[in-house]
Amino acid sequence: MSAQIENLKEYSQEELAAQPIGAWTGEAYRRVVGAIRAQLAAENLTQPHWWTLNHASGAPGHWTRATLTARLTPYDDQDTDFDAVYDDLIARGWLTEDATGGMTLTEEGEAGRLRARERNLGVHHQTHEGISQADFITTINVLRRMVANLGGNGNLPEDAK
């Protein structure tokens, strides 16, 4: 257990209710995404590589460069050149494109995806440590409602169902 967890103080309901949600969600985002990106970097991957591997694995031959780029761009905060990501995975021998442009993982690509998945699961377990499933679900639902309250789409992504 880290010193940060051991030193986690208790606060009154009033103190917690007065906290700025933007500051806490921003810090959580930076910590979670930073940990994921660090684990992916150990495999010489970026998040867009990871997203591509998962989409191509889940629907072999379905995603083309154009359709996958359109799907992933809303989640990208690094101004990614997705063609460069696809080209990199093809050069590694992890991804192929058929005559219609459909992308499929190779055996090497699936092996790399599974290695990265194991690394990301470690981050997932660390993130959820000491948090009940009920509290996690409540947190997700509260964040979904906040997003919707501010004009965003609070629904789960179609492929997350």
Side-chain angles (χ1 to χ4, degrees), residues 136-159:
F136 182 79
I137 291 167
T138 297
T139 301
I140 295 298
N141 279 325
V142 167
L143 292 171
R144 290 179 52 230
R145 181 56 185 254
M146 287 180 174
V147 167
N149 286 349
L150 295 172
N153 182 352
N155 296 321
L156 299 180
E158 288 300 315
D159 61 353

Side-chain angles (χ1 to χ4, degrees), residues 46-147:
T46 64
Q47 274 186 302
H49 283 93
W50 171 243
W51 301 333
T52 300
L53 292 170
N54 281 304
H55 280 77
S57 176
H62 170 78
W63 296 101
T64 64
R65 287 174 182 248
T67 59
L68 190 53
T69 298
R71 173 73 173 107
L72 298 178
T73 298
Y75 303 100
D76 181 41
D77 65 354
Q78 298 179 32
D79 197 27
T80 298
D81 176 352
F82 283 98
D83 282 322
V85 170
Y86 309 143
D87 290 342
D88 178 59
L89 290 171
I90 290 168
R92 292 180 194 210
W94 287 23
L95 187 70
T96 62
E97 288 178 289
D98 63 27
T100 64
M103 296 184 285
T104 302
L105 291 188
T106 64
E107 286 184 31
E108 293 86 2
E110 181 62 12
R113 186 187 75 81
L114 291 174
R115 284 192 311 273
R117 181 178 178 268
E118 285 303 310
R119 290 180 171 284
N120 283 346
L121 281 174
V123 173
H124 174 82
H125 293 305
Q126 182 181 6
T127 302
H128 287 242
E129 187 176 321
I131 301 170
S132 71
Q133 184 177 26
D135 283 349
F136 182 79
I137 291 167
T138 297
T139 301
I140 295 298
N141 279 325
V142 167
L143 292 171
R144 290 179 52 230
R145 181 56 185 254
M146 287 180 174
V147 167

